[in-house]
Amino acid sequence: MKKVLSGIIFLWLSALSLHAQDLTTYRPGANEDLKDVATRFQVDLTTLRKLNPNVLNEKRLSDKLLVVPQQPDFKLNPRVQLIAYEVSPKETLYSISKTYNLKVKDLRTYNPFLYERELDYNDVLRIPTYELKDKDLDINQSIKNSEFNSLKHLVLPKETKYGISKKYGLSVEELENLNPGIDEKEIQPGQFLTIERPADTDEPLRIRNQNYAFLEVDSANSIQTISKNYNVTEEELIESNPSLRFEGISEGLVLKIPQAEKVNYSKYREFALENRLKHFDTKHVALMLPLNLERTKIDSISSASLLKDSGLLRISLDFYEGIQMAIDSARNKGLSVNLDVYDTRNNPSYVREQLNENFKNYQAVVGPLLDQSLKVVASYLSNTDVPVISPLVNPNFEFRNLFNTLPKDEEMQEVLITYLQKTHTDENFVILSDSVSKPIQRKYTYTFPDLKVVNQSKSGYLQRSDLRPKLDSLGTNWIILETQDLGLAESAVGLLNSFRRDGFDIRMFTSKRNSFYDNEISNYYLSNLNFTFPSISRTQLLSGDDKYAQAFEQKHGVYPSRYVMRGYDVMMDLLLRLGYAKTLQASTEIEGYTEHAENKFNYVQKDFAPGFENDAIYLLEYQKDLNVKAIDLAEFLAKDAN
């Protein structure tokens, strides 16, 4: 098996955004205490204590070198904790920075005396660590698609070397050998440790090449009951969760449950609902849109002047048109629909006034479109079984009845990383990213240790000389471009095409295809590079031959917008699922995705949060003939399934 470094999410310590001029050093006078110093530098006493964790006696400071702020009213980021670290002989700033996954400049920032002299083994350093929040605590589950022997473990509060080593089936000595320096020092929360799992035996284990379900253990669980309920052997459970071998099962523990391969890949195969309909009762659905009906009448929603009046209104009307198309199509399949349309006026307070007990009788509520009003509705219905569907946004809140129809960026990244893992052989991997996309870059570097990183010699201006040293003139180059900056994208695509003309074999990928690729960058250039990217919809594949587009064009004389098609797909999927199962929640038990005009859906319960999310994603590739094709995800994932 390939040794692939885990693609876990690296916690970038963005909180360490101080500049060198923010802090300085001060040696107190003979009679000064910490309170006097706080008054002198106009900083609150709590902040001063945090800046100097090595100060145990606030009265005896004459032998201490304190760190103090340069400016009054200085505030330390609340998510940064400074710990005192006693330097040992032969340690360097570089070795200490690697131990704590910091940059040397971060150490100097919080220990400004290091700008003036070299490190001394008698020094006590202030080490910045990232305060871990609840949402960080599942980071060690890693990206689910990874097949790895090597990974990075994020040390959590109260974890010990013994506990961590047992979780991965290692001895403490093996863990210390993998992480030079921790045999002499205590590990700290926020620190990353290198983990090497035992190598595969000659007889591969059955659980390799699997995805996992995740289960939080409660008082009713045992290894035996979990094994029975999930149809896995106890040996497979223990192999997937090495801590069970040494620590046993305990309440609150999150277990990885290996999934059989037929389940593993089923999400990438289509499940046709139309041929399996069995519930033909009238469907009662609410639709909530910002139509601003206090300014117009529902029968005037096609008014050209009104369409020009508001971008949000235009989107709403297009979405509504698509929903009507879906209802017409559903009726042709024997499904009758009772649709109640509510105007939200894009006003959460107005939405709250409309909610009443009658909403609990709907089989589903589609919308509202925007976060604030959506939250009001989802919260009101959170104690019911009425699903609330978010059709156009990925909200940052969670409810047990909330269905997110848009796949998250993290899922898009996972699909691309999985594809690259499964298909690459000896290609030369190169990544170019902007400052906003550095967290994504770190995912790639964890997954592909040999990945070459392009650094721009001039800020904001990519040059040919930046790229050339990273390219292989004899082999195949796979270039990952992660940027939200049009200028950088244009420069990169142009330069890569020039290298192709010089004989270089280049293919380009991105996990986030921004809108500027549609209007600002030549499709001819993208075709030359076999540009490959994950996508929520297959918009780029639609043509004049598409039956849904033709029907819309015949009725309205124009080609349908993506919001028309989105409205059609969201409603069509909902109605067909309600025709297949009694509830939308029950329909999520199907194995496979559903697909309609240009969107597909695979609703899954979130692993560590309430609610459902759609993880059905297209992987699209530009062809040499300027066409775009969808890559068969099931096909490439099954390549090494046996």
Side-chain angles (χ1 to χ4, degrees):
M1 176 185 292
K2 298 175 287 187
K3 287 186 68 176
V4 181
L5 193 62
S6 167
I8 69 168
I9 302 175
F10 181 82
L11 269 182
W12 175 240
L13 306 186
S14 58
L16 308 182
S17 57
L18 288 179
H19 302 288
Q21 65 269 25
D22 290 338
L23 299 176
T24 187
T25 54
Y26 174 73
R27 194 173 294 279
N31 298 319
E32 281 188 301
D33 60 18
L34 205 62
K35 187 175 182 180
D36 296 328
V37 178
T39 301
R40 173 187 287 271
F41 288 93
Q42 300 180 50
V43 60
D44 65 84
L45 194 56
T46 300
T47 298
L48 192 57
R49 289 194 188 103
K50 289 181 179 179
L51 288 172
N52 297 275
N54 57 316
V55 174
L56 301 178
N57 191 324
E58 299 183 7
K59 299 293 184 182
R60 300 176 183 176
L61 302 178
S62 58
D63 61 336
K64 301 293 185 183
L65 185 65
L66 302 182
V67 169
V68 295
Q70 295 260 40
Q71 302 296 330
D73 300 321
F74 171 87
K75 298 294 183 185
L76 184 65
N77 191 304
R79 295 201 71 184
V80 172
Q81 294 180 335
L82 297 177
I83 60 174
Y85 181 87
E86 295 182 5
V87 180
S88 299
K90 298 184 179 181
E91 282 193 308
T92 65
L93 283 180
Y94 179 78
S95 67
I96 296 171
S97 69
K98 291 306 177 186
T99 299
Y100 287 93
N101 277 274
L102 299 170
K103 296 180 180 178
V104 170
K105 71 174 184 179
D106 293 325
L107 289 176
R108 288 198 173 107
T109 295
Y110 287 92
N111 300 274
F113 60 87
L114 293 175
Y115 285 106
E116 302 171 5
R117 63 168 175 82
E118 295 297 321
L119 181 70
D120 187 275
Y121 74 86
N122 290 317
D123 285 332
V124 178
L125 297 183
R126 295 146 187 85
I127 304 291
T129 63
Y130 191 77
E131 182 185 351
L132 299 168
K133 300 294 187 183
D134 290 343
K135 65 184 177 64
D136 300 327
L137 299 184
D138 62 3
I139 190 170
N140 293 319
Q141 297 293 345
S142 83
I143 287 182
K144 289 178 287 186
N145 63 22
S146 295
E147 302 168 343
F148 54 85
N149 296 98
S150 300
L151 67 148
K152 295 285 186 181
H153 176 91
L154 176 68
V155 178
L156 302 179
K158 299 182 180 180
E159 280 195 311
T160 64
K161 289 186 284 188
Y162 175 81
I164 293 171
S165 64
K166 295 311 176 188
K167 288 180 189 298
Y168 297 100
L170 302 171
S171 67
V172 173
E173 182 180 5
E174 288 172 324
L175 184 67
E176 290 176 341
N177 290 338
L178 289 168
N179 299 273
I182 70 167
D183 54 332
E184 301 174 358
K185 304 289 182 183
E186 289 298 320
I187 57 176
Q188 301 291 338
Q191 179 180 358
F192 281 91
L193 298 181
T194 298
I195 304 294
E196 291 283 348
R197 284 185 163 168
D200 296 341
T201 61
D202 292 337
E203 184 176 352
L205 293 167
R206 286 192 296 146
I207 67 166
R208 299 300 183 190
N209 298 323
Q210 302 298 310
N211 282 334
Y212 296 93
F214 291 90
L215 172 69
E216 184 173 353
V217 176
D218 59 30
S219 58
N221 292 135
S222 67
I223 292 182
Q224 292 75 24
T225 59
I226 295 171
S227 172
K228 180 179 179 180
N229 292 339
Y230 284 85
N231 194 27
V232 295
T233 66
E234 293 182 29
E235 291 76 15
E236 288 174 327
L237 279 175
I238 292 172
E239 178 62 30
S240 298
N241 303 272
S243 62
L244 291 176
R245 192 185 310 277
F246 304 97
E247 300 175 336
I249 196 166
S250 59
E251 190 170 353
L253 178 68
V254 177
L255 293 182
K256 294 196 304 184
I257 314 294
Q259 301 293 285
E261 287 184 2
K262 63 182 180 64
V263 176
N264 196 19
Y265 299 110
S266 65
K267 64 178 277 188
Y268 299 106
R269 298 191 177 98
E270 185 175 2
F271 185 93
L273 288 170
E274 295 186 18
N275 303 324
R276 297 176 169 90
L277 302 179
K278 49 192 174 184
H279 299 285
F280 292 94
D281 55 308
T282 300
K283 313 303 176 189
H284 295 274
V285 178
L287 172 64
M288 307 190 78
L289 297 174
L291 297 170
N292 291 320
L293 296 185
E294 76 279 11
R295 299 188 309 160
T296 185
K297 299 294 184 183
I298 190 68
D299 59 359
S300 68
I301 62 174
S302 61
S303 165
S305 61
L306 185 60
L307 286 177
K308 296 178 181 178
D309 212 24
S310 165
L312 180 59
L313 180 57
R314 176 186 291 274
I315 290 171
S316 300
L317 297 178
D318 280 1
F319 190 76
Y320 178 79
E321 185 66 41
I323 283 177
Q324 290 295 340
M325 289 171 55
I327 291 174
D328 290 342
S329 296
R331 288 196 180 108
N332 293 334
K333 302 179 191 304
L335 297 174
S336 59
V337 184
N338 214 346
L339 181 71
D340 293 335
V341 181
Y342 295 85
D343 179 14
T344 68
R345 300 185 185 178
N346 196 22
N347 184 334
S349 298
Y350 181 74
V351 170
R352 190 174 289 107
E353 293 173 1
Q354 293 189 86
L355 297 174
N356 54 58
E357 288 295 313
N358 292 332
F359 272 79
K360 298 178 181 179
N361 297 322
Y362 287 117
Q363 289 170 275
V365 177
V366 178
L369 297 189
L370 301 181
D371 284 24
Q372 290 182 323
S373 296
L374 180 68
K375 187 174 185 179
V376 170
V377 177
S379 176
Y380 180 81
L381 295 171
S382 60
N383 292 324
T384 73
D385 291 326
V386 180
V388 177
I389 299 169
S390 175
L392 297 183
V393 297
N394 249 328
N396 58 4
F397 47 83
E398 296 158 340
F399 294 96
R400 59 186 290 272
N401 59 328
L402 182 60
F403 282 71
N404 293 338
T405 65
L406 297 180
K408 292 183 177 179
D409 287 347
E410 291 81 5
E411 293 288 346
M412 310 276 271
Q413 295 159 15
E414 184 176 331
V415 165
L416 181 58
I417 288 174
T418 302
Y419 176 75
L420 295 174
Q421 281 183 325
K422 299 285 187 180
T423 56
H424 88 90
T425 51
D426 58 353
E427 293 83 5
N428 176 44
F429 266 108
V430 180
I431 188 167
L432 170 61
S433 62
D434 58 24
S435 58
V436 178
S437 304
K438 291 302 180 186
I440 306 172
Q441 176 179 309
R442 283 187 287 278
K443 276 191 182 183
Y444 288 111
T445 54
Y446 268 107
T447 309
F448 307 106
D450 297 329
L451 183 67
K452 297 176 182 176
V453 178
V454 176
N455 295 308
Q456 295 175 243
S457 56
K458 292 184 179 179
S459 177
Y461 179 65
L462 183 67
Q463 301 181 80
R464 188 180 175 90
S465 58
D466 296 329
L467 285 169
R468 178 59 187 90
K470 309 296 182 182
L471 300 180
D472 183 349
S473 60
L474 300 178
T476 299
N477 298 275
W478 280 8
I479 313 298
I480 302 168
L481 178 62
E482 297 289 352
T483 181
Q484 299 181 36
D485 180 74
L486 169 60
L488 179 58
E490 281 185 314
S491 299
V493 172
L495 288 173
L496 291 175
N497 268 274
S498 72
F499 280 115
R500 280 197 75 263
R501 289 192 292 270
D502 293 340
F504 286 79
D505 185 359
I506 296 175
R507 184 178 177 187
M508 192 177 82
F509 305 84
T510 189
S511 69
K512 191 174 182 66
R513 184 185 184 277
N514 288 284
S515 58
F516 53 65
Y517 283 102
D518 287 323
N519 304 315
E520 307 294 339
I521 296 179
S522 166
N523 282 339
Y524 177 77
Y525 279 1
L526 296 176
S527 294
N528 286 342
L529 298 171
N530 286 125
F531 183 41
T532 304
F533 56 95
S535 176
I536 291 171
S537 68
R538 62 186 192 102
T539 304
Q540 290 80 13
L541 302 183
L542 289 181
S543 67
D545 297 331
D546 186 273
K547 62 180 181 180
Y548 307 104
Q550 281 185 336
F552 186 90
E553 192 171 15
Q554 289 175 359
K555 181 177 180 180
H556 299 278
V558 295
Y559 199 75
S561 75
R562 62 191 178 106
Y563 296 108
V564 171
M565 306 312 294
R566 183 76 186 163
Y568 176 88
D569 284 347
V570 168
M571 182 58 73
M572 195 67 193
D573 188 72
L574 170 63
L575 297 178
L576 290 179
R577 284 175 180 268
L578 292 177
Y580 169 79
K582 289 292 289 183
T583 66
L584 182 58
Q585 287 87 339
S587 77
T588 64
E589 297 177 4
I590 65 175
E591 294 180 1
Y593 66 83
T594 55
E595 185 176 29
H596 309 289
E598 65 171 82
N599 296 273
K600 56 184 180 179
F601 305 86
N602 182 54
Y603 291 117
V604 295
Q605 280 192 293
K606 299 178 182 179
D607 287 329
F608 301 102
F612 294 81
E613 58 189 3
N614 176 22
D615 67 358
I617 295 169
Y618 292 95
L619 189 63
L620 304 181
E621 178 188 24
Y622 276 75
Q623 303 292 288
K624 297 299 183 184
D625 56 5
L626 298 182
N627 288 323
V628 181
K629 83 163 187 176
I631 295 173
D632 187 337
L633 298 179
E635 180 182 350
F636 84 75
L637 282 171
K639 283 183 178 179
D640 59 353
N642 299 319

